[in-house]
Amino acid sequence: MKTICFYFQVHQPFRLKRYRFFDIGRDHYYYDDFLNEDIIHRVADQSLVRANRTMLDMINESGGKFKVAFSISGLALDQMETDVPEVLDGFRALAKTGNVEFLAETYSHSLASLADPVEFENQVKAHAAKIELLFGQKPKVFRNTELIYNDDISEIIAAMGFQGMLVEGAKHVLGWKSPNYLYSSAVNPNLKLLLRNSKFSEDISTRFSHYEWTDYPLTADKFMNWIASTPESEQLINLFMNYEVLGNMQPAESGIFDFFKALPRFAAEKNIGFSTPSEVINKLKTVDVLSVPYPTSWLGEEKDVNGWIGNVLQKETFKKLYSISERVRLLPPEKRTLRQDWSYLQASDHFFYMTTKQSLKGFSPYDNPYDAFSNYMNVLADFIDRVYAVYPSSIENDELEPLVTMINSQSDTIRALEKEVEELKKSKKIMAKGKRSSEISLN
């Protein structure tokens, strides 16, 4: 029996305000609150609220046969909590059905996996903890930012105890192989790999409402016929896409919501089921290992990472950002604002806005990539100055940790001595009080 694994990405960054060179050192707040609130409300109204209701209806009307998975970035969750709690309530309602799996990802929807393994691991742990807190699920499957994957990343994820990971079914990696099977990592076979079927996923996500598409209009019946006609041995069809496909990327008037609601009925007619990623891992056996020495993603025709770090502008900002990661990790807990800015500035979107590849042009709050670069670098310059104010640039990275350890040790010693002094003072007061009581009784 064939099974479909539906997965949706949910993410919104904290976009930066216009930050001039002369703002450096004077203004430490970087975000365009009006734009961020406007976009999250618009996305909620056009897409997320109705999409959640649609998924819930699909689960209930199919008698629990429809299943789906989500990964929601920490930055999106932060905005939902403050601006659109009704969206978060919708995801909680889906979680209660038992038919929805929430995956782990990087908290900041960052590119840390390409630069800093320690930061990457810290973000994954922070995100998994947030998912467990909000939805009562401890993630077992990982989905990296933009499906970025290679052998090195798989080794880190396997060591963290995850059972599986979502991967782009890139043709230059698969060769003659089909994405419609379960694979495993070449460096750690215990980590199972679910490969995105790019053709079927993009039929929905990008081609659904295109009148010039030869297969327009796409109906649920036609789509399930395509899946049913795949070779009998290919039992797994992974459909991975952005959740905003429902109502935003594909507007409601295109019929996208009706299309999704009809899928379970036509799937049942073709004896096609639905599974979450964890169920796929438990049900199916792997057919082969997959070796991916160079990073892949689900972006563009090349399926590489050049959309984020492919040009000189992107490489310069990427290198500069992660050059201070060790200092940021050593910041004391009271530097919460700096830590939050560090998280927000790592979002992959900031780098994507700098892409000069015409084929990848999408929404950007900037007029051109050079404005995006200039604005981000101004913000980053101010942020780095604030970090250096805590740990000066004159201190080398390899000197930092011993220095912080020594400072913390001294702080602990001072606190212990202060506590001892307080206890001595209390003891002295008690003794003095006892002495006065004795004198009174003698008199």
Side-chain angles (χ1 to χ4, degrees):
M1 178 181 178
K2 291 185 184 295
T3 191
I4 296 172
C5 180
F6 257 118
Y7 152 79
F8 294 105
Q9 166 194 278
V10 185
H11 168 63
Q12 284 296 324
F14 283 87
R15 295 162 191 84
L16 305 175
K17 67 184 181 183
R18 298 292 173 174
Y19 194 89
R20 312 296 179 187
F21 176 79
F22 297 105
D23 293 325
I24 299 171
R26 300 170 59 188
D27 181 3
H28 302 318
Y29 190 79
Y30 310 135
Y31 313 104
D32 190 331
D33 290 338
F34 177 81
L35 179 62
N36 289 320
E37 288 177 23
D38 177 65
I39 289 176
I40 192 67
H41 279 285
R42 192 158 14 108
V43 169
D45 292 342
Q46 292 179 354
S47 176
L48 302 181
V49 171
R50 185 172 175 183
N52 280 343
R53 284 202 304 264
T54 298
M55 294 295 139
L56 192 59
D57 288 343
M58 291 167 70
I59 291 169
N60 292 332
E61 291 171 9
S62 67
K65 292 180 181 178
F66 179 74
K67 297 177 181 180
V68 64
F70 296 96
S71 73
I72 313 172
S73 73
L75 303 192
L77 290 169
D78 289 348
Q79 292 180 71
M80 288 176 196
E81 286 183 298
T82 57
D83 296 318
V84 285
E86 65 273 21
V87 175
L88 208 52
D89 290 340
F91 282 117
R92 286 195 179 102
L94 286 169
K96 288 178 182 176
T97 65
N99 285 44
V100 176
E101 181 175 6
F102 290 91
L103 312 184
E105 69 157 76
T106 55
Y107 196 96
S108 304
H109 201 76
S110 76
L111 305 172
S113 61
L114 301 174
D116 188 334
V118 176
E119 175 64 22
F120 175 57
E121 190 169 334
N122 287 346
Q123 283 198 28
V124 174
K125 288 178 180 176
H127 184 266
K130 184 82 168 183
I131 292 297
E132 190 168 9
L133 176 67
L134 291 175
F135 306 117
Q137 291 187 19
K138 185 175 181 179
K140 299 175 183 177
V141 177
F142 179 72
R143 182 267 184 191
N144 199 14
T145 305
E146 311 298 346
L147 287 190
I148 292 172
Y149 177 84
N150 66 11
D151 292 338
D152 292 339
I153 295 169
S154 77
E155 196 165 16
I156 296 171
I157 292 304
M160 293 182 71
F162 288 98
Q163 297 175 1
M165 186 168 173
L166 307 192
V167 180
E168 173 62 34
K171 291 179 182 177
H172 68 276
V173 171
L174 283 171
W176 57 269
K177 298 175 184 175
S178 167
N180 301 334
Y181 295 97
L182 185 66
Y183 292 86
S184 61
S185 163
V187 294
N188 192 325
N190 289 325
L191 184 73
K192 306 302 186 289
L193 305 178
L194 288 82
L195 274 59
R196 175 177 181 257
N197 186 306
S198 304
K199 196 270 179 190
F200 286 151
S201 297
E202 290 165 17
D203 282 343
I204 299 173
S205 63
T206 63
R207 292 183 278 271
F208 181 82
S209 60
H210 287 194
Y211 296 109
E212 66 276 13
W213 182 33
T214 54
D215 286 307
Y216 180 87
L218 180 61
T219 64
D221 187 20
K222 183 193 294 185
F223 189 70
M224 284 302 164
N225 278 331
W226 290 348
I227 291 177
S229 65
T230 57
E232 189 177 345
S233 61
E234 298 182 3
Q235 295 294 296
L236 175 62
I237 309 295
N238 293 311
L239 303 177
F240 304 163
M241 63 197 75
N242 194 309
Y243 202 30
E244 290 179 43
V245 164
L246 285 92
N248 192 3
M249 296 174 178
Q250 303 295 340
E253 55 268 26
S254 71
I256 190 69
F257 289 101
D258 293 331
F259 169 80
F260 266 90
K261 286 192 76 171
L263 287 176
R265 177 165 65 89
F266 287 106
E269 290 180 3
K270 302 292 180 182
N271 197 31
I272 298 170
F274 296 91
S275 301
T276 63
S278 288
E279 288 177 338
V280 168
I281 290 168
N282 293 328
K283 286 178 185 176
L284 301 181
K285 293 182 179 179
T286 58
V287 296
D288 201 355
V289 297
L290 202 65
S291 178
V292 186
Y294 303 106
T296 59
S297 78
W298 66 356
L299 185 65
E301 288 294 323
E302 295 85 359
K303 308 298 182 186
D304 56 21
V305 296
N306 286 335
W308 300 279
I309 54 172
N311 63 37
V312 175
L313 307 179
Q314 295 165 319
K315 288 175 181 176
E316 174 65 18
T317 51
F318 188 68
K319 180 181 177 182
K320 200 168 185 66
L321 175 67
Y322 285 102
S323 69
I324 58 165
S325 57
E326 289 186 46
R327 279 175 161 76
V328 176
R329 279 195 290 275
L330 292 170
L331 288 170
E334 58 267 23
K335 297 293 182 180
R336 285 190 295 271
T337 303
L338 269 175
R339 288 175 175 273
Q340 184 182 70
D341 290 337
W342 169 246
S343 177
Y344 293 176
L345 290 176
Q346 288 186 71
S348 65
D349 310 71
H350 302 307
F351 300 91
F352 187 70
Y353 299 148
M354 301 176 204
T355 185
T356 50
K357 297 187 72 172
Q358 285 300 124
S359 61
L360 298 180
K361 294 289 183 177
F363 169 80
S364 172
Y366 302 97
D367 293 333
N368 57 66
Y370 307 98
D371 283 350
F373 170 76
S374 176
N375 203 67
Y376 186 84
M377 285 298 276
N378 287 339
V379 168
L380 190 56
D382 183 79
F383 176 75
I384 289 174
D385 284 348
R386 290 164 62 205
V387 174
Y388 281 152
V390 183
Y391 300 124
S393 57
S394 58
I395 305 171
E396 297 294 333
N397 282 343
D398 58 358
E399 297 174 323
L400 269 175
E401 194 161 355
L403 179 62
V404 172
T405 301
M406 183 182 71
I407 292 170
N408 289 339
S409 177
Q410 289 175 343
S411 299
D412 292 342
T413 302
I414 291 168
R415 282 193 291 269
L417 289 171
E418 287 174 345
K419 187 177 179 181
E420 191 175 331
V421 169
E422 288 298 317
E423 289 175 353
L424 285 171
K425 285 180 180 178
K426 287 179 184 177
S427 178
K428 196 172 181 181
K429 284 179 182 178
I430 292 169
M431 288 174 66
K433 188 176 179 182
K435 186 177 180 182
R436 284 197 301 272
S437 298
S438 299
E439 288 174 352
I440 292 168
S441 62
L442 286 171
N443 292 334

